[in-house]
Amino acid sequence: MFIKNDTISLRCAEPDDAEQIYRWENDRSVWRVSGTFVPYTRFQIEQFLLNNNDLFSQKQLRLMIDLTESGVSIGCLDLYDFDLINEHVSIGILIDAAHRNQGHAQAALTLCLDYLFQDLKLHQAFCVIDELNVESQHLFEKQGFVPCGRRKEWIRMSDRFVDLIEYQRINLN
């Protein structure tokens, strides 16, 4: 266990998590928000977990979101585009459909931001969210993220293009 509160714990993803991650990564209903366009193999996921899941050397880290009481993995949180010199990192979060709208994403994001700002002493965190993903916009806005840019017609849908909104939260401590 890496960091936890009464309901959620965050921990580094391990090879044993490959099957669960494989299921999430290949769920086409979330591809639009994850920027994925092709399926991943179990082998690719296992190789990432064995060789590339390191914030300092690979500039990315996947954390599993577990329920503290049961240890059941209900989602994952990705840190990527880590820049130690400029002290910032991008965040992405996924909660399994069966566990959404229960406050778990908010709890996980709170833990993550505490880690980023208190332990790593980063200056800011950022994320990009498409304009249709209102739930994620509200999630990050509740945590103090503010819109700071818009990429017009950035993501192609089947019938149109949608904007991508950039958010950032600066550490004021």
Side-chain angles (χ1 to χ4, degrees):
M1 185 156 338
F2 170 62
I3 186 171
K4 68 177 183 170
N5 64 23
D6 292 340
T7 58
I8 295 296
S9 63
L10 300 179
R11 63 175 175 80
C12 292
E14 300 188 27
D16 290 349
D17 298 308
E19 185 63 33
Q20 181 66 48
I21 294 169
Y22 172 79
R23 190 173 64 80
W24 289 328
E25 291 288 354
N26 289 302
D27 179 353
R28 291 176 63 194
S29 70
V30 298
W31 280 6
R32 184 190 93 248
V33 297
S34 68
T36 302
F37 302 101
V38 295
Y40 286 95
T41 66
R42 282 181 190 84
F43 180 76
Q44 288 171 310
I45 292 167
E46 289 169 357
Q47 289 302 302
F48 169 79
L49 294 172
L50 288 169
N51 301 310
N52 298 309
N53 197 30
D54 185 286
L55 190 59
F56 289 95
S57 67
Q58 300 298 317
K59 312 298 184 208
Q60 61 184 351
L61 177 67
R62 171 151 297 175
L63 300 172
M64 298 301 288
I65 302 169
D66 296 343
L67 294 174
T68 301
E69 189 173 307
S70 66
V72 171
S73 296
I74 60 163
C76 56
L77 194 146
D78 289 326
L79 301 174
Y80 58 99
D81 292 339
F82 177 62
D83 185 335
L84 184 59
I85 292 171
N86 295 301
E87 300 177 2
H88 58 71
V89 69
S90 186
I91 301 174
I93 190 165
L94 175 129
I95 299 293
D96 189 86
H99 297 277
R100 292 183 187 147
N101 301 312
Q102 299 174 29
H104 300 312
Q106 196 72 247
L109 189 53
T110 297
L111 288 175
C112 178
L113 291 170
D114 288 346
Y115 167 66
L116 296 175
F117 293 152
Q118 293 176 17
D119 296 328
L120 294 184
K121 308 290 187 216
L122 294 184
H123 178 63
Q124 67 179 288
F126 64 98
C127 64
V128 290
I129 304 169
D130 77 57
E131 66 182 330
L132 302 177
N133 193 347
V134 176
E135 288 179 344
S136 285
Q137 292 171 35
H138 289 155
L139 168 69
F140 282 89
E141 288 170 359
K142 284 181 186 177
Q143 289 285 346
F145 283 74
V146 295
C148 61
R150 182 177 286 263
R151 300 176 194 174
K152 295 293 214 174
E153 299 183 10
W154 197 259
I155 299 173
R156 182 173 47 96
M157 306 292 286
S158 60
D159 60 339
R160 63 187 166 127
F161 284 86
V162 297
D163 294 358
L164 196 63
I165 304 168
E166 299 173 340
Y167 284 85
Q168 71 183 133
R169 177 174 162 185
I170 296 176
N171 182 7
L172 301 175
N173 296 330

